[in-house]
């Protein structure tokens, strides 16, 4: 098991709220509505609530599995599967975190290219972000966590949906519960990607002071994200007809275009660039997880692994050029997230539980024999 994290490297437990909330506020905010609408129609907001509620059980499993004293998933892998198989499984998880960072980065880059700088080369945008990410991640976990705190300043911007509500029609939300439970569950599966952000908790939990005592902040973060996405989904359904919404690629951006101030002509530009404060920690968190795992498993210092990870990230971002490629990649990542949340974590939790019980029974047997 890894040594206890030093006090000067750890952060207060309540920071887990910002670490989870900022990751779940990624570029999917701009077009997540089309994911949830496919199967459930005007009941899509119910699908989002259903997915959010189910993930509270996953958070409970993570905190229960990592136990007290706090350890990360690498320790769990080694304990359950042995050092060799455990390390191999941990390296596979590196690939998952890499896909997570790539999806966040490329999605936001697409927003910038479509809405702000359509003629700007992809490698220029990617290079700029890679430099920022390197600066943040190289500072360590406390710096990454500090950047996530900027999300607090962006929360008031979510009140922009008041303006579309004034022009919306509540009648478009009716009839409620007009779809079968199967359709609602299918819609929940399609919208799983908007709740990306719980996975890094498996790695950075030991860096939280009294992590077990602050589990409530992780639940509060998920509750906040669920309420946020459900509310925006309701506003979107009130603003667009379902026929129009199916053909609208960026519903959130389309709604921000109606907002006008005497001193700001294009509010959507402000919205996009302010959201950059969210995207940076959103990408930095999984990248830091990659370097952390490689340090624990392969004894490669982050100063050596980080440049290679970021170089691979930039090359991968440059290969995704067409809209069809982005859609296919988003579908693939969503499927990975579903299996990670509802197959990998529950299965690992069950195996860990049985292993702990078996170990306890063996210990009691030895004590009885003595």
């Amino acid at each position: 098991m890894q040594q206890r994290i030093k006090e000067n490297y750890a952060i207060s437990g309540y920071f887990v709220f910002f670490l989870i909330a900022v990751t779940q506020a990624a570029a999917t905010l701009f077009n997540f509505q089309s994911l949830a609408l496919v199967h459930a129609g005007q009941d899509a907001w119910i699908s989002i609530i259903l997915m959010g509620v189910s993930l509270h059980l996953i958070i409970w499993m993570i905190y229960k599995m990592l136990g007290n004293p706090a350890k990360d998933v690498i320790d769990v892998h080694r304990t359950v599967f042995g050092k060799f198989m455990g390390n191999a499984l941990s390296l596979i998880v590196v690939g998952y975190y890499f896909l997570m960072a790539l999806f966040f980065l490329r999605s936001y880059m697409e927003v910038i290219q479509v809405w702000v700088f359509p003629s700007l080369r992809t490698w220029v945008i990617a290079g700029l972000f890679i430099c920022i990410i390197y600066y943040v991640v190289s500072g360590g976990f406390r710096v990454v966590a500090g950047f996530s705190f900027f999300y607090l300043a962006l929360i008031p911007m979510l009140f922009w949906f008041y303006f579309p509500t004034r022009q919306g029609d509540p009648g478009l939300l009716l009839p409620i519960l007009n779809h079968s439970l199967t359709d609602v569950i299918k819609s929940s599966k399609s919208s799983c990607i908007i709740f990306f952000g719980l996975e890094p908790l498996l790695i950075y939990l030991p860096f939280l002071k009294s992590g077990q005592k602050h589990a409530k902040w992780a639940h509060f973060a998920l509750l906040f994200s669920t309420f946020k996405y459900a509310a925006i989904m309701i506003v979107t359904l009130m603003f667009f007809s379902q026929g129009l919404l199916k053909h609208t690629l960026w519903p959130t951006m389309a709604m921000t275009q109606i907002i006008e101030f005497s001193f700001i002509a294009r509010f959507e530009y402000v919205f996009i660039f302010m959201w950059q404060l969210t995207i940076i920690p959103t990408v930095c968190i999984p990248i830091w997880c990659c370097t952390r795992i490689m340090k624990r498993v392969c004894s490669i210092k982050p100063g050596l692994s980080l440049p290679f990870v970021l170089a691979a990230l930039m090359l991968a971002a440059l290969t995704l050029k067409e809209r069809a490629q982005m859609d296919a990649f988003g579908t693939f990542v969503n499927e990975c997230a579903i299996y990670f949340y509802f197959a990998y974590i529950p299965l690992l939790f069950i195996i860990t539980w049985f292993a702990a019980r078996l170990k306890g029974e063996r210990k009691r047997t030895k004590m009885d024999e003595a």
Side-chain angles (χ1 to χ4, degrees), residues 159-170:
F159 289 98
W160 63 265
F161 60 76
Y162 165 75
F163 297 96
T165 302
R166 296 173 58 185
Q167 301 183 17
D169 180 11

Side-chain angles (χ1 to χ4, degrees), residues 96 118 191 198 209 318 367:
Y96 179 80
S191 60
L198 301 180
K209 298 177 182 177
L318 295 179
M367 293 178 62

